[in-house]
Amino acid sequence: MTSTAPPTIPEGRKAQPDHLGHVIFITAAAAMGGFLFGYDSSVINGAVEAIRGRYEVGSAGLAQVIAIALIGCAIGAATAGRIADRIGRIRVMQIAAALFTVSAVGSALPFALWDLAMWRVLGGIAIGMASVIGPAYIAEVAPPAYRGRLGSFQQAAIVIGIAVSQLVNWGILNLADGDQRGKLAGLEAWQWMLGVMVVPALLYGLLSFAIPESPRFLISVGKTDKAKEVLAEVEGQAVDLDHRVAEIKDAMRREHKSSFKDLLGGKAGFLPIVWVGIGLSVFQQLVGINVAFYYSSTLWQSVGINPSSSFFYSFTTSIINIIGTVIAMIFVDKIGRRPLALIGSAGMAVSLALEAWAFASKTGDTLPTAQGTVAPIAAHSFVLFFALSWGVVVWVFLGEMFPNKIRAAALGVAACAQWIANWAITASFPSLSDWNLSGTYVIYTVFALLSIPFVLKFVKETKGKALEEMG
């Protein structure tokens, strides 16, 4: 008679932290970078019209000032990983916090348009760094049993940052009697909107001194004893620390450092799976989602809504964004990635088409009563359908769909494509809306419709599959 021993469960998967609250604090502190990511990305919404008036700049020039931050984002995202491997994850967080702080002060006190653009680029670099280092740090510190839930803190922090920035903008505008250029303590309201980010930026920097360095980085630089201390802190004293260190070292030895060459293949240039990742990233932006966060106040004012109400609509849109994100987090593992993406595409297409119909009736700076009612409802519906689908699902797909051998490099290319598409939409909207606001939304509607056959034909479901099965 023979007996079969139960399969060995890796030490990391058995980890149960002694103080889960402390682990949540560490994760939340790291996710402050995501909060600043969302805040800085959206805060400019409240200053667009004031900047146009202050510097007497046309739509094309204004668009470049708004969109130029995305160039900084690409730089920050491209460099953060390598810097973190050299000096540590915590140091990169502190650099990002410092850049956020300097950018906020400079943006609040510009003396010329080019000066404001320069501070926007600096803030963009910080956004790019935060977008990379936050998820990486959380994944490396979180106990494996809690990694999925703790990893969602980053996306939650981003949408909360967007909402808070809109609420703060609305509050400042009301203090300035509804005038974006109204004076408050010697500065115009829009300057306070951009400058207030100093507060969360300083908090992010301070919190970075209160959390431990990633054990993976500590092991990579030979600080094994310190890594064991951190592992005991986040995974519990009962874990075999020597075994956990050996697991991490073995995983690091077996990792393939993917390069750009690994992505090439065939007449199309990239491997087919890479093109699918690029397509997902590009469609996520080409539906015009960032118009809702960068230009919504300007958009509503252009159809006759007063500044205070337009700022309030921007805030309520951000709340809808949070609700949609929570819905996606609940259902992405239950009904799958593809069904959510298809539901979102259909919902976005209908919502965008209704906005296009409403804006087609614009006469001067006003909308007829019916269209004036439909437009904000459709705008909120659009953000809801985006948030519960493409806002979350694309990031899940990109983290799962690529084979292990090319995952890191393919993610980098897809993220780069996303920043470029984001820049294209952000830079083009003011000029397009001057040309034909309704026509602009027709374009976004077409992209939402095209995303449906793209998903049906090219995107495979990744729900329930091990990463080793991909590709």
Side-chain angles (χ1 to χ4, degrees):
M1 184 175 178
T2 61
S3 62
T4 304
T8 301
I9 302 174
E11 283 292 328
R13 294 188 185 178
K14 296 187 292 184
Q16 297 292 328
D18 298 323
H19 304 287
L20 182 58
H22 180 59
V23 176
I24 291 173
F25 167 77
I26 292 172
T27 305
M32 269 298 295
F35 178 90
L36 284 164
F37 179 177
Y39 196 103
D40 190 76
S41 296
S42 183
V43 70
I44 194 67
N45 183 21
V48 173
E49 288 306 302
I51 292 169
R52 188 198 299 268
R54 169 80 172 262
Y55 298 106
E56 298 180 352
V57 60
S59 294
L62 180 67
Q64 294 308 316
V65 174
I66 306 304
I68 200 169
L70 300 172
I71 296 174
C73 291
I75 295 170
T79 58
R82 291 185 180 181
I83 296 173
D85 285 341
R86 287 174 175 262
I87 65 175
R89 283 59 168 151
I90 298 297
R91 290 287 178 266
V92 172
M93 290 183 196
Q94 291 163 356
I95 291 170
L99 293 178
F100 273 124
T101 303
V102 173
S103 171
V105 173
S107 297
L109 303 170
F111 50 81
L113 194 62
W114 69 264
D115 177 40
L116 176 60
M118 180 184 71
W119 299 121
R120 293 275 298 153
V121 171
L122 195 66
I125 292 172
I127 290 177
M129 296 177 82
S131 71
V132 170
I133 202 60
Y137 174 85
I138 292 170
E140 292 175 359
V141 172
Y146 296 90
R147 185 171 293 139
R149 282 164 285 182
L150 295 176
S152 68
F153 275 41
Q154 176 79 359
Q155 179 64 21
I158 291 171
V159 296
I160 291 171
I162 291 171
V164 170
S165 73
Q166 303 297 356
L167 180 61
V168 170
N169 282 358
W170 182 58
I172 292 172
L173 186 73
N174 284 329
L175 288 175
D177 297 323
D179 184 0
Q180 294 175 46
R181 298 195 60 192
K183 291 285 187 176
L184 291 171
L187 297 177
E188 295 183 3
W190 69 273
Q191 293 176 277
W192 283 106
M193 293 175 189
L194 299 184
V196 163
M197 199 179 72
V198 165
V199 177
L202 289 174
L203 179 60
Y204 181 40
L206 291 173
L207 286 172
S208 70
F209 287 97
I211 58 178
E213 181 55 87
S214 156
R216 184 185 179 92
F217 171 74
L218 292 170
I219 290 171
S220 74
V221 294
K223 297 183 178 179
T224 304
D225 290 339
K226 181 63 178 174
K228 288 180 180 179
E229 291 178 19
V230 177
L231 287 168
E233 183 180 348
V234 298
E235 296 190 2
Q237 297 288 341
V239 171
D240 184 337
L241 298 177
D242 289 328
H243 187 74
R244 281 292 289 122
V245 169
E247 278 185 341
I248 294 171
K249 286 183 176 178
D250 183 57
M252 291 169 66
R253 276 194 300 268
R254 288 187 286 105
E255 281 180 355
H256 172 81
K257 299 293 183 182
S258 54
S259 67
F260 187 78
K261 288 183 179 179
D262 294 325
L263 308 183
L264 303 178
K267 294 180 180 179
F270 289 125
L271 295 169
I273 191 67
V274 178
W275 281 116
V276 174
I278 291 171
L280 284 167
S281 290
V282 169
F283 272 118
Q284 187 196 52
Q285 297 300 316
L286 294 185
V287 295
I289 185 60
N290 279 311
V291 168
F293 298 123
Y294 292 160
Y295 296 113
S296 59
S297 294
T298 296
L299 174 64
W300 296 125
Q301 289 173 56
S302 75
V303 293
I305 294 173
N306 67 63
S308 183
S309 296
S310 73
F311 274 57
F312 184 69
Y313 282 155
S314 296
F315 170 63
T316 55
T317 298
S318 300
I319 297 300
I320 293 294
N321 190 30
I322 294 174
I323 293 170
T325 300
V326 172
I327 292 172
M329 291 166 65
I330 292 171
F331 288 104
V332 70
D333 284 323
K334 292 184 178 180
I335 69 174
R337 289 76 162 129
R338 284 179 89 237
L340 270 184
L342 293 169
I343 291 168
S345 293
M348 288 190 296
V350 172
S351 301
L352 288 165
L354 286 172
E355 286 192 82
W357 169 78
F359 293 142
S361 302
K362 177 184 174 184
T363 54
D365 289 337
T366 59
L367 290 176
T369 302
Q371 286 85 345
T373 301
V374 168
I377 293 174
H380 284 72
S381 172
F382 164 60
V383 171
L384 176 65
F385 277 107
F386 176 87
L388 65 81
S389 60
W390 286 73
V392 170
V393 164
V394 168
W395 291 109
V396 175
F397 267 130
L398 293 179
E400 295 176 338
M401 64 188 289
F402 301 117
N404 285 336
K405 181 180 178 181
I406 66 168
R407 182 168 293 116
L411 262 168
V413 169
C416 183
Q418 193 173 94
W419 287 120
I420 292 170
N422 189 343
W423 173 84
I425 292 297
T426 304
S428 64
F429 177 74
S431 296
L432 283 173
S433 61
D434 285 350
W435 160 68
N436 189 315
L437 184 58
S438 177
T440 302
Y441 274 81
V442 169
I443 293 171
Y444 301 154
T445 303
V446 169
F447 282 121
L449 289 170
L450 289 175
S451 70
I452 296 174
F454 173 80
V455 171
L456 290 172
K457 183 172 178 60
F458 298 111
V459 180
K460 296 180 180 179
E461 181 60 75
T462 57
K463 173 191 170 187
K465 294 184 179 180
L467 293 181
E468 289 70 27
E469 297 178 56
M470 301 305 168

